[in-house]
Amino acid sequence: GYGSLIWRPGFPYVERQVARLIGAHRALCVYSWVHRGTRENPGLVLGLDRGGACRGIAFRVAERNRTATIAYLREREQVTSVYREVKRSVWLENEARQRVSALVYVVDRGHVQYAGRLSPEEQLRHVLQGHGQSGVNRDYVLATMQAIEAAGFRDPQLHRLAAMLHDHHAPPPAAKIGDY
Protein backbone atom coordinates (compact mmCIF):
# COMPACT_ATOMS: atom_id res chain seq x y z
CA GLY A 1 0.00 0.00 0.00
CA TYR A 2 1.29 3.44 -0.91
CA GLY A 3 -1.95 5.47 -0.67
CA SER A 4 -5.34 4.75 0.86
CA LEU A 5 -4.48 1.06 1.33
CA ILE A 6 -2.18 2.21 4.15
CA TRP A 7 -5.09 3.56 6.20
CA ARG A 8 -8.01 1.58 4.75
CA PRO A 9 -6.85 -1.78 3.45
CA GLY A 10 -10.35 -3.32 3.40
CA PHE A 11 -9.15 -6.92 3.67
CA PRO A 12 -7.99 -9.14 6.54
CA TYR A 13 -4.25 -9.48 6.93
CA VAL A 14 -1.90 -11.38 9.21
CA GLU A 15 0.86 -8.78 9.35
CA ARG A 16 1.77 -5.33 8.07
CA GLN A 17 5.30 -4.01 7.69
CA VAL A 18 6.86 -0.83 6.39
CA ALA A 19 8.47 -1.78 3.07
CA ARG A 20 10.49 -0.16 0.30
CA LEU A 21 9.91 -0.62 -3.42
CA ILE A 22 12.82 0.34 -5.66
CA GLY A 23 12.12 1.49 -9.22
CA ALA A 24 8.85 3.37 -8.64
CA HIS A 25 7.79 6.37 -6.58
CA ARG A 26 4.51 7.56 -5.09
CA ALA A 27 3.04 10.43 -7.12
CA LEU A 28 -0.25 12.29 -7.42
CA CYS A 29 -0.39 11.36 -11.09
CA VAL A 30 -3.82 9.80 -11.65
CA TYR A 31 -6.98 11.74 -12.49
CA SER A 32 -9.73 10.19 -10.38
CA TRP A 33 -13.05 9.76 -12.19
CA VAL A 34 -14.69 7.43 -9.68
CA HIS A 35 -13.37 7.32 -6.11
CA ARG A 36 -12.31 10.96 -5.61
CA GLY A 37 -13.74 12.81 -8.59
CA THR A 38 -15.79 12.55 -11.77
CA ARG A 39 -15.01 12.83 -15.49
CA GLU A 40 -16.34 16.39 -15.40
CA ASN A 41 -14.45 17.37 -12.23
CA PRO A 42 -11.57 14.92 -11.83
CA GLY A 43 -9.86 14.56 -8.51
CA LEU A 44 -6.26 13.44 -8.17
CA VAL A 45 -5.02 10.24 -6.54
CA LEU A 46 -1.73 8.51 -6.03
CA GLY A 47 -0.08 6.08 -8.37
CA LEU A 48 3.24 4.31 -8.44
CA ASP A 49 5.12 5.97 -11.29
CA ARG A 50 8.42 4.79 -12.71
CA GLY A 51 11.74 5.79 -11.20
CA GLY A 52 12.96 6.35 -7.67
CA ALA A 53 11.76 4.47 -4.61
CA CYS A 54 8.66 4.33 -2.47
CA ARG A 55 8.15 3.50 1.18
CA GLY A 56 4.77 2.07 1.97
CA ILE A 57 3.12 -0.83 3.76
CA ALA A 58 3.36 -4.48 2.78
CA PHE A 59 0.52 -6.69 3.97
CA ARG A 60 0.91 -10.43 4.53
CA VAL A 61 -2.36 -12.22 3.84
CA ALA A 62 -3.27 -15.72 5.01
CA GLU A 63 -3.11 -18.24 2.16
CA ARG A 64 -6.80 -19.05 2.64
CA ASN A 65 -7.65 -15.36 1.96
CA ARG A 66 -5.33 -14.88 -1.02
CA THR A 67 -7.87 -15.33 -3.84
CA ALA A 68 -10.55 -13.21 -2.15
CA THR A 69 -8.03 -10.46 -1.35
CA ILE A 70 -6.77 -10.29 -4.94
CA ALA A 71 -10.37 -10.18 -6.21
CA TYR A 72 -11.14 -7.35 -3.77
CA LEU A 73 -8.03 -5.39 -4.82
CA ARG A 74 -8.86 -5.79 -8.51
CA GLU A 75 -12.39 -4.52 -7.94
CA ARG A 76 -11.12 -1.57 -5.90
CA GLU A 77 -8.02 -0.59 -7.87
CA GLN A 78 -8.98 -1.53 -11.42
CA VAL A 79 -12.31 0.30 -11.81
CA THR A 80 -11.00 2.10 -14.92
CA SER A 81 -7.85 -0.01 -15.54
CA VAL A 82 -5.51 2.94 -14.94
CA TYR A 83 -3.13 0.66 -13.03
CA ARG A 84 -1.18 -2.39 -14.12
CA GLU A 85 -1.16 -5.25 -11.64
CA VAL A 86 2.42 -6.56 -11.33
CA LYS A 87 4.60 -8.57 -8.95
CA ARG A 88 7.64 -6.72 -7.65
CA SER A 89 10.27 -7.33 -5.00
CA VAL A 90 9.98 -5.16 -1.92
CA TRP A 91 12.28 -4.96 1.05
CA LEU A 92 10.63 -5.18 4.44
CA GLU A 93 12.00 -2.72 6.96
CA ASN A 94 11.99 -5.26 9.77
CA GLU A 95 14.97 -6.63 11.71
CA ALA A 96 15.66 -9.26 9.03
CA ARG A 97 15.36 -6.76 6.13
CA GLN A 98 13.66 -9.47 4.09
CA ARG A 99 13.11 -9.26 0.36
CA VAL A 100 9.64 -10.53 -0.58
CA SER A 101 7.48 -10.63 -3.68
CA ALA A 102 4.48 -8.30 -3.54
CA LEU A 103 1.46 -7.59 -5.69
CA VAL A 104 1.51 -3.88 -6.60
CA TYR A 105 -0.47 -1.56 -8.82
CA VAL A 106 1.64 0.75 -10.98
CA VAL A 107 0.19 3.51 -13.12
CA ASP A 108 -0.26 2.89 -16.83
CA ARG A 109 1.38 5.93 -18.42
CA GLY A 110 -0.56 5.32 -21.66
CA HIS A 111 -3.96 5.54 -19.94
CA VAL A 112 -6.09 8.66 -20.47
CA GLN A 113 -6.27 9.17 -16.68
CA TYR A 114 -2.50 9.44 -16.33
CA ALA A 115 -1.89 13.03 -15.26
CA GLY A 116 1.89 12.97 -15.36
CA ARG A 117 3.83 15.50 -13.32
CA LEU A 118 1.52 18.36 -12.36
CA SER A 119 2.60 21.56 -10.66
CA PRO A 120 1.68 21.93 -6.97
CA GLU A 121 -0.94 24.53 -7.98
CA GLU A 122 -2.53 22.12 -10.50
CA GLN A 123 -2.53 19.37 -7.88
CA LEU A 124 -4.23 21.70 -5.39
CA ARG A 125 -6.91 22.70 -7.92
CA HIS A 126 -7.81 19.08 -8.70
CA VAL A 127 -7.79 18.00 -5.06
CA LEU A 128 -10.01 20.92 -4.03
CA GLN A 129 -12.59 20.15 -6.75
CA GLY A 130 -12.49 16.37 -6.36
CA HIS A 131 -15.41 14.49 -4.81
CA GLY A 132 -16.37 10.97 -5.84
CA GLN A 133 -17.90 7.71 -4.65
CA SER A 134 -15.30 7.30 -1.89
CA GLY A 135 -15.56 10.89 -0.67
CA VAL A 136 -13.76 14.20 -0.77
CA ASN A 137 -10.35 14.27 -2.46
CA ARG A 138 -8.93 16.60 0.22
CA ASP A 139 -9.74 14.00 2.90
CA TYR A 140 -7.92 11.30 0.89
CA VAL A 141 -4.74 13.38 0.65
CA LEU A 142 -4.77 14.37 4.33
CA ALA A 143 -5.58 10.85 5.57
CA THR A 144 -2.78 9.39 3.44
CA MET A 145 -0.30 11.97 4.70
CA GLN A 146 -1.28 11.27 8.32
CA ALA A 147 -0.98 7.50 7.78
CA ILE A 148 2.48 7.95 6.26
CA GLU A 149 3.59 10.01 9.24
CA ALA A 150 2.11 7.43 11.65
CA ALA A 151 4.16 4.74 9.87
CA GLY A 152 7.30 6.75 10.62
CA PHE A 153 8.26 8.26 7.27
CA ARG A 154 7.58 11.31 5.10
CA ASP A 155 6.67 12.09 1.53
CA PRO A 156 7.85 15.65 0.81
CA GLN A 157 5.53 16.27 -2.18
CA LEU A 158 2.46 14.97 -0.36
CA HIS A 159 3.36 16.97 2.74
CA ARG A 160 3.75 20.14 0.64
CA LEU A 161 0.28 19.63 -0.84
CA ALA A 162 -1.18 18.93 2.62
CA ALA A 163 0.29 22.22 3.85
CA MET A 164 -1.26 24.01 0.87
CA LEU A 165 -4.63 22.40 1.68
CA HIS A 166 -4.38 23.53 5.31
CA ASP A 167 -3.43 27.07 4.20
CA HIS A 168 -6.27 27.16 1.68
CA HIS A 169 -8.87 26.26 4.31
CA ALA A 170 -7.31 28.09 7.24
CA PRO A 171 -9.88 30.14 9.19
CA PRO A 172 -9.38 33.90 9.06
CA PRO A 173 -7.44 35.34 11.98
CA ALA A 174 -9.59 36.51 14.90
CA ALA A 175 -10.36 40.22 14.87
CA LYS A 176 -8.64 42.30 17.53
CA ILE A 177 -9.80 45.49 19.13
CA GLY A 178 -8.67 48.30 16.91
CA ASP A 179 -9.01 46.26 13.68
CA TYR A 180 -12.32 47.91 12.84
mmCIF file of all heavy atoms in Angstrom, residues 57 79 88:
data_model
loop_
_atom_site.group_PDB
_atom_site.id
_atom_site.type_symbol
_atom_site.label_atom_id
_atom_site.label_comp_id
_atom_site.label_asym_id
_atom_site.label_seq_id
_atom_site.Cartn_x
_atom_site.Cartn_y
_atom_site.Cartn_z
ATOM 1 N N ILE A 57 3.455 0.277 2.864
ATOM 2 C CA ILE A 57 3.121 -0.827 3.762
ATOM 3 C C ILE A 57 2.913 -2.096 2.943
ATOM 4 O O ILE A 57 2.160 -2.090 1.971
ATOM 5 C CB ILE A 57 1.843 -0.517 4.570
ATOM 6 C CG1 ILE A 57 2.005 0.766 5.390
ATOM 7 C CG2 ILE A 57 1.469 -1.699 5.463
ATOM 8 C CD1 ILE A 57 3.073 0.714 6.468
ATOM 9 N N VAL A 79 -11.000 -0.175 -11.342
ATOM 10 C CA VAL A 79 -12.306 0.305 -11.809
ATOM 11 C C VAL A 79 -12.221 0.812 -13.249
ATOM 12 O O VAL A 79 -13.093 0.531 -14.064
ATOM 13 C CB VAL A 79 -12.852 1.407 -10.870
ATOM 14 C CG1 VAL A 79 -14.160 1.981 -11.389
ATOM 15 C CG2 VAL A 79 -13.015 0.882 -9.466
ATOM 16 N N ARG A 88 6.346 -7.376 -7.802
ATOM 17 C CA ARG A 88 7.637 -6.716 -7.646
ATOM 18 C C ARG A 88 8.257 -7.151 -6.328
ATOM 19 O O ARG A 88 7.550 -7.491 -5.379
ATOM 20 C CB ARG A 88 7.488 -5.191 -7.626
ATOM 21 C CG ARG A 88 7.026 -4.591 -8.921
ATOM 22 C CD ARG A 88 8.183 -4.521 -9.922
ATOM 23 N NE ARG A 88 7.770 -4.410 -11.297
ATOM 24 C CZ ARG A 88 7.370 -3.329 -11.910
ATOM 25 N NH1 ARG A 88 7.273 -2.210 -11.262
ATOM 26 N NH2 ARG A 88 7.044 -3.364 -13.178
#
